[in-house]
Structures are given as C-alpha cells and as structure tokens.
C-alpha cells in the first residue's frame, strides 16, 4: 500500500512537472528568486534552457506569433548593439552583452510558452501577489526590529532592503511590479488588495529612494484607470497621508529631500548670476555642483553620458561599455577623483551613450511597435495584456533612475513582463472568448 502511495505521489509530481508548468514556474522565479543565491541568473538561465528545449523539440510553434514579435523587438536592440562593436571601447564586454541578449530571447520564449492560456496568467499574477506580500512583511519586520527573517539588516540607516543583501533592488522591484500585482485584485474590488497596497506604499517609502516613489506613483496612476473619479480622490488622499505619516521614519529619504531643497535654491541663485554674466565660470561650476547635489551625484553621470554621445553620436562607445568608458569622459569630482559607476542611472541616456542614436531609435521603435500592437488588438486581448502594459509603462518611463536596460536584474524582470504582454496580446483564447461572448441587446 505504501509503495502504491509512493507511485501515486510520483505520478502526481510527474504530471505537475510538465514543460508548460516549468516554463510558468520559471517566469514567476524571475521575480521570486531575486533575493536568493544566484539572484536573477538562476531563473534566467533556467528559462533560457527551457527555451532551448522548446526550440529543439519544435514546440515553439505553439507560440509562433508572439515569438516572432518578441524576436522583432529584441532585434531592435540587438542590431544597434552589433553596430556598436567595431568602435566599442570594450569589445569583449560588448560581445558578452550580445550573448546575454540572445540568452534573454530564449528565456522570453519560455515565458511565452508558459503563459499560453488565460489560467496561466492568473496563476502568475497570484504567485506575484504571494511573493510581494511576503517581501512586504519581511521588510516591515526589518523596519521594526532591525533585521528580517533571514537576519539581514539594512545597509543604510532607515533604508530597508527586505530579504535582499544589497540596497535599492527591493524597493525598485516592489514599486515596478505594483500594477501587475494589484491590477486584477483591485479590478475585482478585493478588500485585501487595499491592505497590500498600503503595505507597498509604506515599504517603498521606507526603502528611502526617490526613484522608488516615482515608480510607485506611476504605477498608481496606471491603476487609477480602474477607479471612478471619487475613488481616485480618496485614494490620492490616503496615499499622501500614508507617505506623510511614514516620512519621519525614513531618514535616508529625509536627507535626500533636504538636499533637493537646499540645492534647488542654490541652482536658482546660480542661474540668476549666469543670466547676468553668462561667461562667469564660477557661477557655472556652482550650478553644476548644486545640480549634482540635487540628483545625488548623478550630474557627473549625465555629463559623461552626454560627452560620449557627442563624441560618438551614431554608434556610441559600445554596448555594455559605459562603465569602462566613464573615466575617459568624466570630469573630476570636488574631491579630485573620478567616480566608478556601474551604469548611467537612466535607461535612455545609457543606451544612447553605448549604442548611439541608432540604439535610441531602435528602443523607441520597439516601444512604438508594442503600443501599436496593443492599440490594434481586440478588447479581450487588451484586457488580458493591460496589467503587463501598465507595468512596462512604469519600467520604461524615461525619468527613472537606478535602472539599466541591459544586464542585471532589470532585464530579467523586463523580459518576464514583456513575455506576458505578448502572450496575452496574441492569445488565441482571447479571440475565442470575444467571439462567444453574447452581444448586449
């Protein structure tokens, strides 16, 4: 009898570990596994292997239409990257990035296959609710006790990072994923969704970064399309009240806000001096320093990025070459040295600096194609794709910082959301549902 039970158990497990379920699981892990060893690399490589298996077995034909669209969008990024290699300042890094884009393409194929059916999207979004809720609880515990359930402590005073060992990623992911996590629950008027939204607002505020609040604000604007005007006003009032109440417990955010206030007045004074005397080098330098303080040392990055674009406007300094190229273009800091940034802290600036105006044009073309496909889709497909579209809007907003399109955790998140968007937008189930839906009298 025990052996029979064991066979039943293994049989159930075997049925659960279908290719579809594995692809769907790894799509969720692109978010859920980020705090753990291997971070984004584990689910990304796992999804790429699944995508390779799909290609080998010829299974990709089940998602041929969205796969072709995904390939077209990735080509908009890949071709400018290839064109940048002959003049790249770091050819080995550039070739490595090209390989990673191909890897991401295979991973995207796995996401498409795992989200072929409407119930797959529901499963993924429910999984994301559970993951984000768990992270929020972990972050609140860290804020109250100084350590999370894994014993991880904040890396900066009052700047919680939840289960992550590095700063910033926690708040970025929670804020960016808000539309995808809350779209359906809020649409269905689930009461617990309000509690989850409150937890998101609190933890994102405590994460201490202005960029995260911007991402969250964009997500809430997208979500507000589900509400009536009265509900929007009530929601705005609650949001402002929550941020104001939590603000005194976020010293890092307070510090950066004070920098903005003090440096803002300095910028106004410097601009007035330059208006009176345009050739005054001292005022010009003071304006740059105050702008740099206002943006938490981002002015050096912007200045270097613009110089790269000016120097190599068409093809840039090479895909994934911003970091090695930076010392050649960056001006000295007030301390007499050059910082060593990992990236430009802006998707569009870095992409243009690395792959030139051709690369920027490729990204803008990819965005335009995505929104055109959404606009031309039937109502049922738009309904399924809307949560992903709102999340892409947040992730690709041009004024956000701390993010980079290629490499690291952000590209992994982006391919998961983009895969869900295309899978929903070209779902044959949606067309069938729209055809059998009774027409109103």
């Amino acid at each position: 009898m025990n052996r029979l039970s064991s066979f039943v158990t293994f049989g159930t497990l075997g049925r659960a570990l279908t290719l579809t379920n594995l692809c769907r699981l790894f799509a969720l892990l692109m978010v859920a596994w980020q705090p753990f060893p291997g971070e984004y690399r584990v689910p990304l490589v796992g999804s790429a292997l699944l995508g390779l298996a799909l290609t080998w077995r010829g299974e990709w034909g089940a998602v041929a239409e969205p796969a072709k669209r995904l390939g077209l969008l990735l080509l908009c990024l890949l071709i400018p990257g290839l064109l940048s290699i002959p003049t790249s300042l770091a050819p080995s890094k550039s070739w490595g990035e090209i390989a990673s884009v191909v890897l991401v393409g295979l991973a995207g194929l796995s996401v498409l296959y795992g989200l072929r059916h409407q119930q797959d999207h529901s499963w993924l979004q429910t999984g994301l609710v559970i993951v984000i809720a768990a992270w929020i609880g972990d972050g609140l515990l860290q804020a109250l006790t100084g350590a999370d359930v894994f014993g991880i402590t904040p890396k900066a005073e009052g700047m919680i990072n939840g289960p992550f060992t590095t700063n910033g990623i926690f708040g970025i992911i929670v804020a960016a994923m808000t539309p995808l996590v809350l779209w359906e629950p809020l649409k269905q008027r689930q009461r617990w969704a309000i509690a989850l939204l409150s937890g998101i607002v609190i933890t994102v505020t405590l994460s201490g970064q202005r960029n995260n609040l911007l991402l969250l604000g964009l997500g809430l604007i997208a979500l507000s399309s589900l509400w009536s005007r009265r509900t929007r006003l009530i929601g705005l009032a609650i949001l402002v009240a929550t941020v104001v109440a939590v603000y005194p417990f976020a010293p890092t955010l307070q510090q950066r806000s004070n920098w903005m206030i003090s440096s803002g007045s300095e910028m106004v004074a410097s601009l007035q001096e330059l208006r009176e005397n345009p050739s005054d080098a001292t005022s010009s330098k003071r304006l740059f320093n105050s702008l740099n303080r206002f943006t938490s040392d981002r002015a050096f990055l912007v200045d270097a990025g613009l110089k790269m674009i000016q120097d190599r406007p068409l093809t840039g300094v090479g895909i994934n070459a911003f970091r090695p190229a930076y010392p050649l273009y960056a001006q000295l800091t007030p301390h007499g040295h050059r910082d060593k940034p990992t990236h430009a802290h802006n998707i569009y600036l870095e992409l243009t600096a690395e792959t030139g105006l051709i690369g920027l044009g490729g990204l803008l073309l990819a965005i335009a194609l995505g929104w055109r496909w959404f606009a031309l889709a039937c109502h049922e497909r738009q309904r399924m794709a809307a949560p992903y579209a709102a999340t892409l809007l947040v992730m690709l907003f041009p004024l956000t910082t701390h993010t980079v399109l290629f490499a690291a955790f952000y590209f992994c998140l982006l391919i998961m959301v983009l895969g869900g968007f295309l899978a929903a937008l070209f779902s044959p189930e949606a067309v069938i549902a729209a055809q059998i839906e009774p027409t109103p009298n």
Side-chain angles (χ1 to χ4, degrees):
M1 190 67 179
N2 289 336
R3 290 184 178 180
L4 181 60
S5 299
S6 298
F7 280 125
V8 171
T9 302
F10 280 114
T12 303
L13 180 61
R15 288 192 297 272
L17 293 179
T18 63
L19 195 55
T20 298
N21 288 348
L22 283 173
C23 291
R24 190 174 63 178
L25 174 62
F26 271 87
L28 175 62
L29 291 178
M30 287 185 177
V31 175
W33 194 261
Q34 297 267 3
F36 302 111
E39 301 168 327
Y40 64 91
R41 298 174 187 86
V42 170
L44 188 60
V45 172
S47 294
L49 291 174
L50 288 169
L52 190 62
L54 290 169
T55 305
W56 179 265
R57 294 175 53 177
E59 298 279 352
W60 74 275
V63 289
E65 188 61 28
K68 291 176 184 177
R69 309 293 175 131
L70 176 63
L72 180 59
L73 296 183
L74 289 178
L75 279 176
C76 290
L77 304 177
L78 194 63
I79 291 174
L82 288 170
L83 291 175
S84 74
I85 291 179
T87 56
S88 173
L89 297 179
S92 61
K93 287 184 175 293
S94 295
W95 279 116
E97 196 59 51
I98 294 296
S100 74
V101 175
V102 175
L103 184 75
V104 164
L106 287 171
L109 183 61
S110 170
V111 174
L112 293 175
Y113 192 85
L115 300 178
R116 300 195 312 280
H117 308 295
Q118 188 165 353
Q119 64 265 29
D120 297 326
H121 292 275
S122 299
W123 184 92
L124 175 65
Q125 290 166 14
T126 300
L128 288 173
V129 167
I130 295 171
V131 169
I132 296 300
W135 287 4
I136 288 171
D138 189 74
L140 293 175
L141 178 65
Q142 189 180 67
L144 292 172
T145 66
D148 80 329
V149 295
F150 303 106
I152 299 173
T153 58
K155 300 301 178 184
E157 183 183 358
M159 191 175 180
I160 66 170
N161 47 284
F164 291 82
T165 55
T166 56
N167 271 338
I169 298 179
F170 169 68
I172 290 173
I173 296 179
V174 171
M177 291 293 109
T178 295
L180 186 54
V181 169
L182 289 178
W183 190 277
E184 289 301 326
L186 288 176
K187 188 176 181 180
Q188 297 169 11
R189 299 184 181 276
Q190 300 284 352
R191 293 183 179 179
W192 57 263
I194 302 300
L196 182 57
L197 177 57
S198 300
I200 289 175
V201 173
I202 293 171
T203 51
V204 168
T205 304
L206 290 176
S207 69
Q209 293 180 329
R210 296 161 294 180
N211 174 74
N212 298 346
L213 287 175
L214 174 59
L215 290 171
L216 179 59
L218 292 168
L220 294 179
I221 290 173
L223 286 168
S224 69
S225 63
L226 301 172
W227 305 332
S228 65
R229 183 178 180 183
R230 178 173 176 272
T231 306
R232 289 175 192 168
L233 293 175
I234 294 173
L236 178 61
I238 294 174
L239 172 65
V240 172
T242 304
V243 173
V244 170
V246 177
Y247 182 79
F249 303 98
T252 305
L253 188 61
Q254 294 175 41
Q255 181 189 54
R256 296 181 181 189
S257 298
N258 291 334
W259 288 349
M260 292 178 69
I261 295 171
S262 60
S263 57
S265 59
E266 292 174 4
M267 280 191 287
V268 172
S270 299
L271 285 170
Q272 182 62 35
E273 293 174 1
L274 283 173
R275 193 174 293 112
E276 296 173 356
N277 185 8
S279 60
D280 186 0
T282 302
S283 298
S284 179
K285 186 67 175 178
R286 190 181 300 118
L287 175 62
F288 181 85
N289 289 337
S290 59
L291 178 62
N292 193 56
R293 191 161 177 253
F294 183 87
T295 59
S296 302
D297 294 331
R298 303 289 187 266
F300 287 104
L301 302 175
V302 174
D303 180 66
L306 292 175
K307 288 177 180 176
M308 293 179 197
I309 297 169
Q310 184 179 15
D311 186 36
R312 304 185 181 198
L314 287 181
T315 57
V317 297
I319 187 172
N320 198 30
F322 184 91
R323 185 174 184 176
Y326 181 77
L328 302 176
Y329 294 92
Q331 60 176 287
L332 294 174
T333 68
H335 305 291
H337 66 272
R338 292 182 176 88
D339 291 332
K340 297 178 180 179
T342 55
H343 56 87
H345 285 260
N346 182 274
I347 287 174
Y348 296 86
L349 174 64
E350 178 155 336
L351 185 78
T352 310
E354 290 186 345
T355 58
L357 295 174
I358 295 176
L360 177 62
L363 176 59
L364 295 178
L365 175 61
I367 293 172
L369 286 173
W371 288 116
R372 175 174 171 77
W373 297 336
F374 183 85
L376 295 177
C378 67
H379 174 73
E380 185 64 20
R381 284 179 167 179
Q382 287 184 345
R383 183 192 64 79
M384 287 179 60
Y388 300 100
T391 307
L392 288 171
L393 172 67
V394 173
M395 296 186 73
L396 294 174
F397 190 73
L399 298 182
T400 56
T401 60
H402 299 290
T403 50
V404 56
L405 183 62
F406 297 119
F409 74 100
Y410 210 64
F411 208 7
C412 183
L413 295 177
L414 186 65
I415 200 64
M416 186 273 285
V417 178
L418 181 60
F421 173 74
L422 293 174
L425 207 54
F426 296 97
S427 168
E429 282 187 1
V431 176
I432 295 172
Q435 290 173 346
I436 65 176
E437 183 178 340
T439 56
N441 294 327

